[in-house]
Structure formats: C-alpha cells, structure tokens
Amino acid sequence: LITSLDEGKMSAPEKREPLKRQKKIRRPLPSINTIEESPAIKPDQVKDSNQSQHDEIANFPPPIDIYGAKQVIEFDKDLIKSSEKQGKQIISSLKNYGVNASIAKIVNGASVTQYQLELAPGVKVSRILELANDLAMSLAVTSVRIEAPIWGTHYAGVEVPALERKIIPLRNIIDSEEFINSRAKLIMPLGCKIDGEIFIQGLESMPHILIAGSSGAGKSVFINSCILGMCANCRPDELKLLMIDTRQTDFAIYENLSHLIATPI
C-alpha cells in the first residue's frame, strides 16, 4: 500500500457528504384498554381471553413450591469460634487506642457480624465512632460500620463483613409470617436483618427507589425478587407492569407473565 502511494497509482478517496441523521420517532405506549373496548377483536377471541383471565385469577396465588425448598440458615461451630476470636481482636485494638470495652453479645448475620460492645464508664461514644477506619485496618477487612448506640440498648455495635456469607432463599421470605400478614400491597422482599428477622417493605410507601451497585453486586437478583414478591401478592387484575429493558436481556423471561400490559419493551 505504501509503495502504491509513492508511485501515484492510488488516488485519495472522494469526499462524501455528511450523513443526515433521521428524526427519532416516538412510539406510543401500548394501550391499556380492555378487550371489550377494542373493535378489532372478534367475539370468540374476547370469550377465550376472558376465560384465560378467569383461569389466571382462579389459580392465584401460585403454589409456594415454585420458589424452591425452604431452607434453614445455620452457623456451624467453627464459624462461631472464628467470630469470638475476631471479637477479642476488636477489644484488643480498641484498648490500644485507649478505649476500654467488653463484648456483651455477638450476632451472626447472613452477610454481617455485629459485635455489641459495652463501653467502660467514662468512655465517650464519639471516641469509638472515630476509630472505624483504624478497626478496619487492624481486622484486615474492607469496611467497618459502627452503630453507637444501638437503638433500644446501651451497647455500641461494631459491624464487620461476615467471614462466611449465607444466601437467603426467596422462599423463606415469601413463606414467612411477615410477608403473609403484611398490609402492603406491592411487597418488596428486601432480605433479612442482622438478627435474622425478615425485612420487607411496601413500594407504595417509597415511590422513588434507585437500585445501584457494581457488577456482580446482585442488582438483577434483587429486581427479580421484587417482581416475584409483588406478583405473588397481587392478582393479574390487581397489578399491571410495564417493563422497559434497555439491554434486552433482563426481562426477557417475563414475556408470558400474566401481570404485564405488553411484552417487555
């Protein structure tokens, strides 16, 4: 190619006119009109559609077994001993910084271990709050969260990432008394608290929600859990969802879901 250019055998490419961008066409949202209001649908189709809607409502709620088997979250003895060893290390590190405390209780959670500390008389709460980064460095963990005081107690809480993370099955939340007896309609299963208590929330009480995180943090798993939680509590005639999937991968599995106004856009 360089030799041809030197000999003058190749000419420069012709200049082309810049491409003109076409105007974006806004597509209208799918109509939410009922089947009876649509003139293009035949009476037989209306009858079949009404029958299918009646069958969907009659088969609600879905069997609990479709969410998998219920599991019991247990912690083995080795993990408990490791937590006790880590607690002694926290007490030793605080003592090096002039804070005397003792461990009152260790709470092993699914993803966080909380150490409830009883501070010695005369120790200010603000003193332990300043040592979060120092504790994280001494324990060789990514972060340490300090809750001082713990609500309803006279203890200070030091929360450290759990040595072994436990998976909380969605079946455990949907089959819990908190989910069944909840007054919320749009139930979002958020998981478990540190003490193992089921934690749910109604979407109607928080009209704005942002789900963010790095890759692999569990955003898609959380969104799918919320969708299943709301659909498990509301019949198709009570809840209608409009899904917009920009990546065209997340919501493809919901194309035949009875709660959809239209297929995922």
Side-chain angles (χ1 to χ4, degrees):
L1 177 62
I2 297 176
T3 306
S4 301
L5 287 174
D6 294 339
E7 295 177 357
K9 295 180 180 181
M10 296 182 65
S11 58
E14 299 179 357
K15 294 184 178 180
R16 297 181 180 180
E17 296 183 358
L19 297 176
K20 295 182 179 180
R21 293 186 176 181
Q22 297 180 353
K23 294 183 179 180
K24 293 183 178 181
I25 301 175
R26 292 184 175 272
R27 297 181 178 179
L29 293 176
S31 177
I32 316 179
N33 296 333
T34 59
I35 298 177
E36 290 81 6
E37 296 175 352
S38 179
I41 298 179
K42 298 180 180 179
D44 295 340
Q45 295 177 346
V46 174
K47 184 177 180 180
D48 296 340
S49 179
N50 290 338
Q51 182 64 31
S52 61
Q53 290 182 359
H54 177 74
D55 295 340
E56 293 170 356
I57 296 175
N59 295 330
F60 185 88
I64 193 64
D65 294 335
I66 68 172
Y67 302 103
K70 192 172 184 178
Q71 303 177 14
V72 179
I73 302 176
E74 297 179 348
F75 299 94
D76 52 15
K77 296 181 179 180
D78 294 336
L79 182 61
I80 296 176
K81 291 181 179 179
S82 301
S83 301
E84 294 176 353
K85 182 179 179 180
Q86 192 177 51
K88 293 179 180 179
Q89 188 176 357
I90 293 175
I91 297 300
S92 177
S93 300
L94 291 175
K95 192 174 182 179
N96 294 335
Y97 294 104
V99 178
N100 295 325
S102 60
I103 295 181
K105 187 178 181 181
I106 300 177
V107 181
N108 289 298
S111 60
V112 175
T113 302
Q114 184 187 64
Y115 299 91
Q116 299 182 5
L117 308 180
E118 184 175 1
L119 303 180
V123 177
K124 293 184 178 180
V125 177
S126 59
R127 183 76 180 104
I128 191 174
L129 290 172
E130 299 171 354
L131 299 175
N133 295 333
D134 298 313
L135 286 176
M137 184 177 295
S138 61
L139 297 175
V141 295
T142 55
S143 62
V144 169
R145 178 179 179 269
I146 296 179
E147 183 181 2
I150 300 176
W151 186 82
T153 67
H154 58 277
Y155 299 135
V158 177
E159 298 177 3
V160 182
L163 299 175
E164 181 182 348
R165 296 173 64 93
K166 297 290 184 179
I167 297 177
I168 304 172
L170 181 63
R171 162 71 183 269
N172 289 22
I173 302 179
I174 295 181
D175 199 17
S176 64
E177 295 181 359
E178 291 84 356
F179 187 93
I180 297 173
N181 300 328
S182 176
R183 295 183 178 180
K185 199 66 178 176
L186 304 176
I187 302 181
M188 301 180 65
L190 302 181
C192 290
K193 298 181 180 179
I194 295 178
D195 56 359
E197 182 182 353
I198 300 296
F199 184 40
I200 61 175
Q201 190 70 29
L203 182 62
E204 57 265 36
S205 63
M206 48 176 178
H208 301 87
I209 180 172
L210 172 65
I211 303 171
S214 58
S215 299
K219 300 184 297 297
S220 299
V221 175
F222 175 71
I223 293 175
N224 290 329
S225 299
C226 293
I227 294 173
L228 294 177
M230 290 187 290
C231 293
N233 194 52
C234 298
R235 299 193 308 269
D237 61 331
E238 296 176 327
L239 173 65
K240 290 298 180 183
L241 298 174
L242 177 63
M243 296 184 178
I244 302 176
D245 187 3
T246 56
R247 296 193 299 176
Q248 301 180 3
T249 56
D250 294 333
F251 298 148
I253 58 176
Y254 297 111
E255 289 186 357
N256 297 323
L257 184 64
S258 304
H259 296 75
L260 290 185
I261 297 176
T263 56
I265 300 174

